[in-house]
Amino acid sequence: MFELSRRLEFSAAHRLHNPDFTDARNSELYGVCNNANGHGHNYVLDVTVRGPADAATGMVMDLNRLAQLLHEVIFVAVDHKHLDHDVPWLTGRVSTAENVAAAMWEQLQPHLGDLLFRLRLYESAANFVDYYGPAGARPAV
Ligand code: NI
């Protein structure tokens, strides 16, 4: 079994703010990330597919096809955008790294099926989240 990964980098703005909470609660909860006019990140998304290498091709999947898919499905939608306002599949969600990763999973999974294994989304070099899909969606490794 192999885990094959492709990295995608993009820059985007966002603001952590839950409209269900008061401004005071949002400020307390999200701190500087609740700044009214937003802030930016240079995000890094590592997409990992998992499976056997095909006997004939020697590949889990064609990395060029994965790169093309990430460009079309993710990069075009989010690069140099405001995640809270410009991305239809993110509107209505608080744009935490967790929620952004889950939304990206929903966008990619129909194209990758059971090959999709993990999304690792970095907001910064120090802060990142790993997502393995909805709970129970696949057997544990
Ligand atoms: Ni942020």
Side-chain angles (χ1 to χ4, degrees):
M1 209 58 109
F2 298 92
E3 293 173 10
L4 185 68
S5 298
R6 170 76 187 186
R7 173 163 290 184
L8 178 74
E9 300 182 14
F10 62 94
S11 299
H14 80 145
R15 178 195 187 201
L16 295 185
H17 182 86
N18 187 331
D20 294 339
F21 300 151
T22 63
D23 286 351
R25 175 74 176 127
N26 271 294
S27 178
E28 176 189 317
L29 187 60
Y30 297 125
V32 293
C33 296
N34 182 238
N35 178 50
N37 291 323
H39 62 276
H41 291 286
N42 294 318
Y43 286 93
V44 177
L45 176 68
D46 288 341
V47 178
T48 300
V49 294
R50 183 174 188 271
D54 181 86
T57 67
M59 301 188 293
V60 177
M61 78 172 287
D62 182 343
L63 272 176
N64 288 320
R65 187 172 88 75
L66 181 58
Q68 185 67 28
L69 181 70
L70 297 184
H71 181 84
E72 292 172 2
V73 175
I74 303 295
F75 184 83
V76 170
V78 299
D79 185 57
H80 284 70
K81 301 292 176 60
H82 195 302
L83 299 182
D84 305 322
H85 303 299
D86 299 328
V87 185
W89 41 266
L90 286 173
T91 53
R93 305 184 189 215
V94 180
S95 52
T96 58
E98 292 91 325
N99 284 344
V100 173
M104 288 178 168
W105 181 283
E106 291 167 10
Q107 296 302 305
L108 290 169
Q109 198 278 334
H111 299 278
L112 294 169
D114 289 342
L115 279 175
L116 183 56
F117 177 65
R118 186 187 74 190
L119 297 184
R120 172 170 286 179
L121 181 66
Y122 290 85
E123 272 193 342
S124 67
N127 295 341
F128 63 94
V129 64
D130 285 335
Y131 186 59
Y132 295 86
R138 61 182 305 136
V141 177

